[in-house]
Amino acid sequence: MLAQKRRVAIEAAIPLALAAAAWLLYGPALRLWWTHDDFVHLRLLLTHRPFWYFFDAAGYREFRGNLTPLLFFSLDLDRRLFGLVPHAFYLHQLAAFSLATAALYGALRLWLPRLWAAAGAWIFLVGPATASLAGSLMVRHYIEAILLASLSLMAWAGALRRPP
């Protein structure tokens, strides 16, 4: 019984530690202001009708054909909740990033031993390609897609393992 509680505690501690590591590693992004394409995205959100990114092809033609409704929905959600305060946008960014790392661990854990799943999530967390996502709002949809894909994979595997 004690060994079972210990295993459960370790299984819960690893994704929490990975999420905390994301905040420690990329927390300085909270000091950023608008960068890269942020002004273009904000202009599109402020000058088009609500939820245009789901229904209006003309908006995407204006944005040179980049079809990214998840990005615009996520940024629009921040704008509607927090106004034009960059700090809040980056809080959302880091929350999504830390959750994506923890969810990736959970997805890997379905097929890999604890150590290998943690190593895979750690490599994701500190890898140069992923690290470049943490401080760039214009690519948030990649982070959120990783989070959603990991959760979907866990739900799919759970459904397959459930007895009929």
Side-chain angles (χ1 to χ4, degrees):
M1 185 66 148
L2 185 62
Q4 176 66 19
K5 285 184 181 181
R6 185 172 182 260
R7 273 194 295 273
V8 169
I10 291 171
E11 282 297 332
I14 292 173
L16 289 174
L18 288 165
W23 284 92
L24 290 172
L25 288 169
Y26 304 114
L30 294 173
R31 294 190 299 263
L32 293 174
W33 201 63
W34 305 116
T35 61
H36 306 295
D37 288 347
D38 295 343
F39 286 112
V40 175
H41 295 153
L42 290 172
R43 182 183 61 80
L44 287 170
L45 290 174
L46 293 170
T47 59
H48 287 72
R49 64 187 174 91
F51 304 110
W52 66 271
Y53 35 83
F54 290 131
F55 309 109
D56 187 8
Y60 285 108
R61 281 193 293 276
E62 182 181 337
F63 193 53
R64 295 181 280 313
N66 292 319
L67 183 61
T68 53
L70 179 59
L71 172 65
F72 285 106
F73 176 69
S74 184
L75 294 175
D76 200 22
L77 180 68
D78 287 352
R79 180 184 67 89
R80 291 174 187 280
L81 291 174
F82 310 115
L84 296 175
V85 178
H87 183 76
F89 283 69
Y90 286 103
L91 277 172
H92 179 171
Q93 180 95 349
L94 286 176
F97 192 76
S98 63
L99 289 172
T101 304
L104 180 62
Y105 169 78
L108 291 172
R109 188 66 182 99
L110 293 171
W111 291 282
L112 297 174
R114 185 182 305 135
L115 179 64
W116 289 109
W122 179 256
I123 290 169
F124 166 79
L125 180 64
V126 299
T130 313
S132 70
L133 301 176
S136 185
L137 297 176
M138 68 182 185
V139 293
R140 181 187 295 165
H141 55 298
Y142 293 122
I143 296 168
E144 291 178 343
I146 292 166
L147 170 61
L148 293 172
S150 297
L151 293 173
S152 298
L153 186 60
M154 288 187 287
W156 173 74
L160 288 178
R161 293 177 180 181
R162 192 177 57 212

